[in-house]
Amino acid sequence: MSMSHLYGTDGDDGVEMESFEVSDWDLQNEFNPHRQRHRQTKEEATYGVWAERDSDEERPSFGGKRSRDYSAPVSFVSAGLRKGAAEELSDEDSDEDEKPVKQEEIPKEFVPKKLKTGGNFKPSQKGFVGGSKSFVDFGSWERHTKGIGQKLLQKMGYVPGRGLGKNAQGIINPIEAKQRKGKGAVGAYGSERTPQSLQDFPVVDSEEETEEEFQKELSQWRKDPNGGKKKPKYSYKTVEELKAKGRISKQLAAPQKELSQVKVIDMTGREQKVYYSYSQISHKHNIPDDSPQQPLGKDSKPQGFALPELEHNLQLLIDITEQEIIQSDRQLQYERDMVVNLSHEIQKMAEVLSHEEKAISNLSKVLDMVEECERRMQPGCENPLTLDECAKIFETLQDKYYEEYRMSDRVDLAVAIVYPLMKEYFKNWDPLKDCTYGTEIIAKWKSLLENDQLLSHSGQDLSTDAFHRLMWEIWMPYVRNIVARWQPRNCGSMVDFLDSWVNVVPVWILDNILDQLIFPKLQKEVESWNPLTDTVPIHSWIHPWLPLMQARLEPLYSPIRNKLANALQKWHPSDSSAKLILQPWKDVFTPGSWEAFMVKNIVPKLGMCLNELIINPHQQHMDAFYWVIDWEGMISVSSLVGLLEKHFFPKWLQVLCSWLSNSPNYEEITKWYLGWKSMFSDQVLAHPSIKDKFNEALDIMNRAVSSSVGGYMQPGARENIAYLTHTERRKDFQYEAMQERREAENMAQRGIGAAAGSVPMNFKDLIQTKAEEHNIVFMPVIGKRHEGKQLYTFGRIVIYIDRGVVFVQGEKTWVPTSLQSLIDMAK
């Protein structure tokens, strides 16, 4: 280590001599016990006092040691302006009065601050050491020169009094230097900033806090200058903290509770410690001054108070006390929860007790009412119980004591009380004479005795429902007796009786009456019916049962059709009684069975009648034609059109041709044509086949008029025929337009699609629309095709569509047909 600050050197022979004088460096470091020690270099460690050293190293600077390079060129540093003698004398006096100031005694406002430019003003940075001087006469030395610098600046646009730069952004005054009072470090005597620097570079207040934090963190690495022992810090726990800690540990899951009971051996300290849970390890760092001690060295002092057993016992007592506090808190919380739970249990038991007392009171009242009913039903009682009074008693039970009424055995109660009264009430009852007798009282008992759930016909239901048992055992025997004596052809009284009781009687009992009692009687009567001899039509005593029996009568229709077909074998269309007998059955039979019956039994007779019709324009007999047309509403339009095409129009067109070939009166022919056309209804005339026949007649008449060359022709005949043709075809067009408008209105009312979507896109959509209008099922047959075309069911008819044409399956081949004919066949 260099001792240059203790030994001086002789300038002549270089012999080191001990210097005992007190220098300024010694005075400054006397009050700085933590001064930086000089680090021994490698050369000093090797040569000791013979090591080479510079004279400048005798006093270490604040900026650190720096080796001097004597090979570098000489550089001069400005030392400021020369002071006068008076100023130097005042400065020497001020230096003698100065004393070194500690860093801790410097006021805060004199601590150097950060500039707004972002750089830190470090104490190691060197500043200008020259004195402060006014810059009013700055540059006045140029008057002793030629002033080349000022001239060059003015040529380049410099304006005196303004800053340098393109936009005059440079500073006007040079950088000022502020003289430090003593020889202390930078910032030791307060802020060294000049007013100009404060104006150009204002400080940021928020940087003060950053600097304080930096100094605070820096001081943590320094050794305590006082060298005193650190005062121990104690941590305290309140009872509330212990309670909160106990509640948190209580919420551990089951696996965590198991881990909390594991024995743990801690060997991290100076002695081995045993913990009985992982949670106790966290308590270890809460004990003050519990860090492991360093082994005693040569210079270290032994501890004055070291009793590990006492410390262990005290810590054990503290732990036990904490556990007792936590356990007491848990026990207190448990007792409080138990008090709350018991209070709720007391409230519940009080509610149950009040409910049971109320139930006992209600049951006692119900028992009194039942005993009163039994007393009044005893024979010889002065005030016997009636059915109405019994119904009022049951109403009271149902309204005021509903729970007890539902819980009681109503079947046994009704059997014991109501059944005897009900037998007495219906003792002299005749259902056919007074069909509404007892309906009101039975309806009242239905609401009192019937269960809420729907019941089926079984013995179990009878045993659980009092009303069904009452109707089956009391009311049903009277019905069986009256049906056994009832005549089916006198159906009015029986139908009225069942209509009156249909809403009162259980459904399964009504089904039993219709299936087991009424239907066998009707079936037997139909078998004995003869349409040729009986004067009473069969529909008069069968059709009244349709609302009640509906599909149950379906087995009777087949024998009725067979009997009617046998009766029509010798029938002639001139006999109108057949229509009166068959007309009521049109809406009863299914459309398919009705059409088959008509085609088999009626259409052939009508075809024979049309064959017998003689068309004579001069003397026409219309009886046979009227007999056929009278069946228009009974047979389908397609069947009627088929009859006319086969048996009427060939003869009618033949008569027209023969008449036109004999120089006829075209006015009479026109009247004859219009007269026959008026015989048909609009529905028949709208059929395409009928239109074609009448259009064919018009074409024949037009050809007859146009081909009569050279022969005599009635004046105006050609114009009359042309006018007739035009009128008839215009009527057909108007009728078709009206039909289309009517169909469009029907589709709009039914809501089939929007206005744009109501028009069918293809022929299949048109068939689908027509099927929906006439309630006909139209759907594809799965897995069935004919010549690659999908088969469909249109009602009961199998069809397929090819190029906009409908083909219907015939006996041997597929026959094309029109859409209207398809609808008529499906109906």
Side-chain angles (χ1 to χ4, degrees), residues 302-316:
Q303 291 185 355
F305 184 80
L307 297 175
E309 293 82 359
L310 180 60
E311 292 179 1
H312 174 73
N313 293 337
L314 290 175
Q315 184 62 37
L316 186 61

Side-chain angles (χ1 to χ4, degrees), residues 384-411:
L385 185 66
T386 61
L387 194 60
D388 293 335
E389 292 176 351
C390 186
K392 292 179 181 178
I393 292 173
F394 272 78
E395 286 180 355
T396 304
L397 292 175
Q398 192 177 27
D399 294 339
K400 295 184 179 180
Y401 312 103
Y402 181 78
E403 293 296 333
E404 291 77 9
Y405 178 75
R406 289 295 178 187
M407 292 170 57
S408 63
D409 194 354
R410 291 173 291 170
V411 177

